[in-house]
Amino acid sequence: MYSTITSGFRKALGLILFLGAIQGVTAQEPAAKKDTVAVIKIQVTGTILDAATGKGIVGARISLPNVSASITDASGSFKINVPTYFEDLLVTAEGYDGKQIPLKGRKQISVSLLEEGYSGFQDPLTSPLSIEPMRNTTSASSRIQLSNEWTKPNETLDALLQGQVAGLNSTRRSGTPGVGANLFLRGYNSLYGTNKPLVIVDGMIYDVNDYGQSIIANNYTNPFALINVQDIDNVTVLKDAASIYGTKGTNGAIIITTSRAKQQATHIDFGAYTTYNQQPSSLPVMNADDYRVYLSGMLQSKGLSSSEINAMPFMIDDTTGNPDYYRYHNNTNWQNKVFNNSLTNNYFLRVTGGDNIATYALSVGYSKAEGTIRSTDMNRYNTRFNAAFNFSKRFTGSANLSFTFNEQNLRDQGISDKTAPLFLALTKAPFMLDREVNDKGVTSPNFADTDILGKSNPAVLINNMQAFNKYYRFSGSFKFNYAISKTLNASTLIGVTYDKVRENIFIPRKGVADDTLSNAVADSRLGSQVKRLFAFYTDTRLEYSKTIRRYHQFTSRLGLRYQHSDAEQDYALGFNSATDDLVSVQNGLNALRQIGGGIGEWNWMNTYFNAEYGFKNKLFLAFNAAADGSSRFGTQVKNGVLINSNHFAVLPSASLAWLLSSENFMADSKIDLFKLRLSWSMTGNDDIGNYSTRQSYTSQNLLGMQGLVRNGIPNPALQWETGEKFNAGVDVSALNDRLTFTMDFFHSKTRNMLVYENITGAAGFNTILTNNGSMQNTGLEATVGVRLINKKNLKWDISGNIATIRNMVKHVPGGRFFTEYAGATLLTQGDRPAGLFYGYVSNGVYSTSTEAAEAGLKVKNADGSYTAFGAGDIRFSDINGDKLIDENDRRVLGSPMPEYFGGFSNKLTYRRFQLEALFTFAGGHEVFNYMRYRLESASNTDNQLNSVINRWRAEGQVTNMPKATYGDPLGNSRFSNRWIEDGSYLRLRHASLSYALPVKGEFVRNATIYVTGTNLLTFTKYMGYDPEFSASPSLYGQGIDTGLDPLYRSATLGVKLGF
Amino acid sequence: MNSRKWMIACALMTAGFFGSGCNKTIDDQTAITDPSLNKDLMELISEKADLSTFAGYLKQTGYDAVIASSRTYTVFAPGNAELATLDAAVKNDAAKLKQFIGNHITTQVYSTKDVTSTTRILMANGKYLSMNGTAIGASLITTKDQYAANGLLQQVDKMLPALENTWDFVAGSQSPANQKAFMMSLFRNVFDATNAIVIGINQTTGDPIYQAGTDSIFTNLFWNKVADLRDEKKQFTLFMMQDAAWDADQARFAPYYVTNTADSNKLVTGWNVLRDLAVDTLYEPGSIPDTITSAFGTRVPIERSAIVNTIRTSNGIVYIMSRINVQPSSKLKTIVIEGENYNSTSHDRRGNTYFRERYNPVTGQDFRDVEVFNHGVALFNIRYQVEEIPSIKYKAYWVAVNDFQTAAFNQRLAPGIATATTFPYVAVPVSNFNEVYLGEITLAQYQPVYNFYLVAANSTTAAVNPLVCDYIKLVPSL
């Protein structure tokens, strides 16, 4: 396969090189003519002022590149000779933010410069192929400078981007250290393919895919946890025109640049931080007394007789007749046995420096983060080495090497009723104790076993369960650059990624409820898993760049990317080791051992062509095209180009930017910059499965015999999903750059969207993957930044962004389908947003039997009989009016996708103090409170929320909490709007105060101390621990609170020293 | 500088954030909305003026703490007017009062809507009451289903007196004296190792040696063998015959239970009469059938006119009868001995013994029998042990199916001892599936244990001396 692909590519490459050559020839034609040398005869005068003080800046540099230059005098005045009054002057000054000033016919200008580090459209943006000022870009991109993010050492980049980029919805998964966030850039683009943006670190694709589930329940190994945010210099979020990445670009791209030496002098930066993590506030579950009343009713409803219930050890209230009295007469706050306050420590050291041959940046870091779930933590050891070399004048190179090792102690979380400590803490009977107690009430240091109601002991899971996750990644690349001529440049990048995840679990027998396997009862559970990824990546390109007559800037690139990935997952699960001291997987019973895994190997080749044209620094055009081949594509694909029997996705894009503010008619305007952008692009998504287009087999165990069975029906016509994107945007900067504003409208459409299509039962399988779906997103984004106060000692910046997105499924086979997750039903239907909650509608509780009889509703039981709703049951809406509450009475209950989200921040600088605050928000969406669904279902002996005390108990009682019935025969707790809540929130995500110590010594250059708070305040109506959670990367897992470890509040005290 | 102020402000702000831990919405959701759910049953009862007497008694008996605890209860509370008529004997006796108040409290929630068929509910004093809708015991619930945090309050129109159980009634009753006397005479010490203290082990047998007095319990045979009339969980109907009727019945049945002594004759007769007089079913006076079948299969005719008195107890009902005319034919049963259920054989011939599954074309039913073939022993026999045979005349029959050889052979039934010649040898012809009449036997005395033998021919020849038997039937001949 590989050879055919490469031969196919060779042909494709040949074709594109040919086209590129024609382009190159036509481009070079004017270059062959003699370049016009500007005649410098006109003078422009002006002053360069400090925007804060209004005083002139001495020594500011004014230049017209390649033509003339000048320096300001003591009063900040300058004179410069220019060829015409229609040039763009560059103004730079030490300690100030540089500016490009279009003269627009003016003979005299006055420019105010803001301090260095002020973010505006003059900042350089790292785009896929180059670094250029944001004012020149044609695409919708955001830039985040991270060099100030030392105050948040415990964040991962995905979570850190929350609220900082309009249109990037970052939802943190849980409160587990390092678990990060799910990223959706401009909505959902795929139902079953990935929705993750492509991540590029220092020019190389950074793999953020999932290679097989964790064996630790609902644990997610986050590749972003392998990047220390302190190592990151800046991030570009590319929202459209990502066709340069071919079939990997449909979800946009996040381009990360790690820090490197900026000067040749040696600099040492050291940071040390300690963070206090506060345990989340408890959910109000019933105390021992209320629970016992509830439990009596539940046991009665289960059918136990009075004497049986009276004989239960927890019902006998005297110590004499009941040897178990002390075991069953406590009031334990189980949540306190699971949560704790914890500490996180973080140390970081970076050395940069070099000489004129080579510069380097070397960093090492160590952090130990304890979770707020007891016994969980994460240790990270990371190192990164970036170097740049000047081998010769023309031959340069760079190296980017990083190695990170993470070690985590974890616990099961989410939907794992028998082993997740948090769920157990909420549902375990409060009259039990975590320790063994003897008949006299003396507590033992040993933990109590599974209780009389069959509940595991959460304290056992905290203390005796083992769940380790060790993962590391080596990522390294070398880039070589050769300047063939002044206009022609060749470069190549070669990199590898080696990634390994190792997990071990042991769940003891004592204190944990047994699990049931298909052929045995599992008491202790053991497991081991290894996931490996090896990826090889190259990116080779030829770049032609030429400026003709100073006004026509032309750049073209032709390149080839190739990626080969090889992933493997192997796991072994064991059960029933002889004792709880035998914890490794080989000690499980041989007969019960389960061994499995998967392999995935794929190739991707991306040939790209780019042409950019800039006219007079005010009109910019760009054209990109990619031709992608992949081992994943089928052999009978209908779209694309067929070369040597391989199908290539051809994905073009075009974009335009017009700087109206550089036009002469805006010479006297207060508006510093006004730019219009338009782009249209075709992108693709190759996440269709490595082998979905081929016949494959999977191992299956039938009565102890191992064999191979067909793994579904292959679809050789399966192809990439096609994304078509349109973007229109405007960038504005005014009031001497103190006001910046960006607004984008976008419309994207996914065609050939991957769907599971039902097939006839005779095929032996239910579904087949096809490209028969389509979906679209329409949205609006706005970002605004204002410097409110700009004084010498007092500066106040506020900024904010907001995005709103309307997602719409256009077509799916069969018109609609349902997806079940965590008890929720999600609807996907044409002309509606994807993944809507779809369930029953409840309207309170029948207070009396008469009311219930008047309504006359009933349910059909499994045996075909009917049961009528009675007093104390939920009053469900009979939507179709047939007096029967069944699946036809469901309707859309809401969408988990936020209607709007974003963030706003404040930065106040007073002398040496700096106060920063970032608020994030998301709103207009509904979430399914699965935890409340479990804690208010009142259908079993699990402890419940205090609200269940309000349950219906007797005729005439008016309440909205239905009666407690064992097994819930009428389905009062079915998926309905009872559990759907408003998921909107506004959160003070970060607040930090820093103080730069006045240091004078020669040894220490600078010293800053920080106090930072994270997740300090949350305003929400949500009733669970926290309104932010994400149970799965799938769009069908969003907005469902499965009880993952909640987010928590923390405070960091830190110091950063520079030498 | 004012950096200290900054620090303090910052520290205060941080402390403020960390202190604001509560979540308003979930607190709203979980707040108790109904004031009734903040009260326990005792508080609810104390609030009601009409229940002040009842509340007083609850305090007096200590039940106030019980119904304020975190278990669930239903309290059936009679009003002050009803309780005013409470018998002084109960009122002034702490134990009796506790028993009485305990009869108004149950440890579960019983709502009038949920209990739609007669349900026996366990009261706090260990007795049961029947509830159905708004009926509880002999009372009616007037103000129903008032809820509190830990259960329901039902106000009733009458007191719920704690009745004595059937056995306590028998033990405490004066008449009918003779049946009572006989019932009370049935107390025995019965071996029971439950609470025995082992003081050693028998070196020879390995059996435990118990401390004297700990290895038995003093119990009544009637409780063990007929009905434990003390059991509050069940409901019994007990018939007590007036002395004249009892004595007449004793005389009537005495000939069927002839023994060596007059005392034992009286005991056996009395037991056989008594055991059919109690059943663990409640028969209400209004719906009592004309014939009741006892646990021993005896048909007991009940003439309503013979019911002299009806007494309700906490676990059933007692009828005092002037006459119960049980027919001897009902009491004296046909004895059927299954061939394969023998107790022993004269010689170990397990290798020659066959248990056969056969189909009987005469009855149209399957049966199982025993066949011993080629055992090589002259006069080989099989022993059957029968217990408690009344002293009457029986007609004997058997079904013996010879389908294994073409020649007939002889076998005989020998009562008492194997050599008895009461019955002659009877030929077993080929394929006879009918009952064969063997003759008559009269037992002069009631036999607690009696043996019957099936004896083979006096021959060692296989074809001559087989034994085969489906069953032996002894039909009383009155």
Side-chain angles (χ1 to χ4, degrees), chain A residues 693-759:
Chain A
T693 60
R694 327 262 187 102
Q695 181 59 58
S696 64
Y697 294 84
T698 187
S699 71
Q700 185 159 324
N701 187 314
L702 178 73
L703 303 173
M705 305 287 285
Q706 200 76 19
L708 290 175
V709 293
R710 282 179 79 144
N711 196 6
I713 293 181
N715 179 2
L718 202 66
Q719 64 155 81
W720 58 96
E721 296 180 329
T722 314
E724 189 182 338
K725 294 172 192 294
F726 170 77
N727 188 87
V730 56
D731 295 329
V732 179
S733 176
L735 305 174
N736 207 2
D737 288 337
R738 280 174 63 174
L739 169 72
T740 56
F741 174 75
T742 295
M743 188 154 167
D744 278 282
F745 165 81
F746 64 89
H747 178 78
S748 67
K749 184 154 188 185
T750 305
R751 292 204 177 84
N752 304 317
M753 187 171 66
L754 218 56
V755 283
Y756 286 95
E757 201 161 339
N758 289 325
I759 49 175

Side-chain angles (χ1 to χ4, degrees), chain A residues 1012-1044:
Chain A
T1012 302
T1014 308
N1015 303 331
L1016 288 177
L1017 276 177
T1018 306
F1019 303 94
T1020 180
K1021 287 180 185 159
Y1022 184 64
M1023 294 186 219
Y1025 283 115
D1026 194 279
E1028 191 182 349
F1029 41 77
S1030 183
S1032 144
S1034 163
L1035 72 88
Y1036 294 115
Q1038 305 310 309
I1040 298 178
D1041 184 4
T1042 57
L1044 301 178

Side-chain angles (χ1 to χ4, degrees), chain A residues 521-537:
Chain A
V521 172
D523 41 41
S524 60
R525 280 146 265 181
L526 316 91
S528 183
Q529 168 163 275
V530 175
K531 294 191 276 188
R532 281 195 304 109
L533 167 73
F534 178 78
F536 171 76
Y537 178 75

Side-chain angles (χ1 to χ4, degrees), chain B residues 409-423:
Chain B
F409 59 90
N410 293 328
Q411 62 183 23
R412 84 157 149 214
L413 182 67
I417 53 172
T419 52
T421 55
T422 319
F423 297 105

